[in-house]
Amino acid sequence: MRRLALLAAPLLLALPGTAIAHPKLVSATPAANTAVAKPTTLTLTFSENLVGPLSGIELVMTGMPGMADHAPMPIKGFKSETKGKVLTVKLPRALPAGTYNLKWHAVAGDQHRIEGQYTFTVR
């Protein structure tokens, strides 16, 4: 039985449509480690088509100008939409000046949840 499994494994990997890669973040607006003017939309583009209901973000304001001890403040009320490889987040209002941590999670056809994060600044 073990021998059969070892012989079948290369065949399964060679089948068309077999997903062995995971989605990777290709680009984002705002991009990591950039300073932008008050965005109302965030856009993340991945290397594979996403499963919309299983992909999304968490956005937290981690610093505010003039406040040294600013506690992390989650940003709520945004709407996410997925079309193909692109995840678009529409914010209810422009983000105020400060630093932000964006945590993303993406699920593609292989059904594995991949996560990542980056920071950006709003001036």
Side-chain angles (χ1 to χ4, degrees), residues 19 21 23 48-51 107-112:
E48 298 182 32
N49 288 337
L50 302 176
V51 177
V107 177
D110 66 0
Q111 299 296 307
H112 289 117

Side-chain angles (χ1 to χ4, degrees), residues 7-117:
L7 291 172
L11 294 174
L12 290 174
L13 292 176
L15 290 175
T18 301
I20 53 176
H22 298 302
K24 293 176 182 58
L25 183 62
V26 175
S27 66
T29 304
N33 305 315
T34 60
V36 297
K38 304 184 181 205
T40 57
T41 302
L42 311 174
T43 306
L44 286 77
T45 303
F46 292 87
S47 59
E48 298 182 32
N49 288 337
L50 302 176
V51 177
L54 302 177
S55 302
I57 70 156
E58 294 175 32
L59 185 61
V60 176
M61 181 183 223
T62 57
M64 184 179 285
M67 293 184 69
D69 296 327
H70 183 275
M73 185 171 61
I75 305 300
K76 303 286 184 189
F78 55 80
K79 299 200 185 295
S80 298
E81 180 181 36
T82 305
K83 285 188 181 175
K85 299 177 183 181
V86 179
L87 171 64
T88 303
V89 178
K90 295 184 190 253
L91 301 163
R93 65 191 73 68
L95 292 176
T99 56
Y100 292 85
N101 185 47
L102 186 148
K103 291 182 181 179
W104 56 265
H105 55 276
V107 177
D110 66 0
Q111 299 296 307
H112 289 117
R113 180 179 165 126
I114 304 301
E115 300 175 348
Q117 64 181 333

